[in-house]
Amino acid sequence: VSEDDNNMEEYPTEIHDNLTAFEKSLGSVDEMLKTMMSVSRGELLQKLDPLEQAKLDLVSVYTLNSMFWVYLATQGINPKEHPVKQEL
């Protein structure tokens, strides 16, 4: 979106704000993933008690499934009719 404002005619201008917010959100997710992946999983789990470990695992799985849901939608596949719905 921010790469070149001259490309605005490639998509409806009324969704520009939504695309900008989406791009910002993706940047936030990218930063969080980089932070999490900078430490080995074993190292990270050593610092957490069992309940926090379980929460981390649940959040990780939910996040991956949600990202796949978004990917399917961007590919024109209805995620509600895909097996990933049962995963969520």
Side-chain angles (χ1 to χ4, degrees), residues 14-79:
E14 60 269 11
I15 66 169
H16 178 76
D17 290 342
N18 290 343
L19 290 174
T20 300
F22 182 68
E23 181 180 43
K24 184 177 177 181
S25 295
L26 283 178
S28 296
V29 169
D30 185 47
E31 287 303 314
M32 284 185 254
L33 286 173
K34 284 179 183 174
T35 300
M36 283 188 69
M37 295 179 76
S38 68
V39 178
S40 74
R41 188 174 189 295
E43 217 177 314
L44 180 61
L45 291 177
Q46 285 178 349
K47 298 176 184 178
L48 302 174
D49 64 49
L51 181 59
E52 290 173 326
Q53 290 176 12
K55 286 180 182 180
L56 176 65
D57 286 343
L58 288 172
V59 168
S60 298
V61 169
Y62 186 82
T63 301
L64 287 171
N65 282 329
S66 296
M67 291 173 71
F68 188 64
W69 179 284
V70 171
Y71 170 76
L72 289 173
T74 64
Q75 300 304 304
I77 300 168
N78 184 352

